Amino acid sequence: IYNGEQLKGIVIAGSPGSAVTAAADGKVQDFPNDPDYGKGLVIYHEGGYVTEYYGLETIMVGTGRSVTQGEAIGSIGTSNTYFDGSPAVFFCVKQSGIALDPESVL
């Protein structure tokens, strides 16, 4: 819970510019820009899973590119306004459009 809202993911704090890595093998699909959560990246995985990363400063991969687990895909920034502008990545996992607890999936 953050500011009274139940989040459908986890917030990972870090230093600006620190690497953000892919949680699993997959293919880059989208780069949403959310006014609260900041610059984002969406990766599709086998089994209908999707991982989303928000609050990025930079994105190091392009649409349609395959990525491997642990590969650097971007860096932590302050593009979010939701988490008081603190350097953090909001990370969520979905399966068939349903948000899952990332800690129970990974």
Side-chain angles (χ1 to χ4, degrees):
I1 297 180
Y2 185 83
N3 284 343
E5 180 184 343
Q6 179 67 42
L7 298 177
K8 306 248 189 234
I10 57 174
V11 178
I12 304 166
S15 300
S18 296
V20 175
T21 59
D25 295 353
K27 186 174 272 195
V28 177
Q29 292 295 322
D30 195 14
F31 301 99
N33 192 10
D34 186 276
D36 293 325
Y37 296 131
K39 188 186 298 186
L41 171 64
V42 177
I43 299 175
Y44 283 73
H45 309 277
E46 288 187 23
Y49 288 95
V50 175
T51 52
E52 299 179 8
Y53 310 76
Y54 291 93
L56 301 174
E57 184 68 29
T58 60
I59 296 175
M60 305 163 138
V61 292
T63 302
R65 184 170 180 282
S66 293
V67 295
T68 57
Q69 182 178 19
E71 178 180 346
I73 55 173
S75 65
I76 294 176
T78 55
S79 68
N80 75 73
T81 59
Y82 197 72
F83 304 109
D84 303 322
S86 300
V89 171
F90 177 66
F91 173 71
C92 59
V93 178
K94 296 177 182 174
Q95 184 179 33
S96 302
I98 299 170
L100 306 173
D101 176 4
E103 295 182 54
S104 69
V105 178
L106 301 176

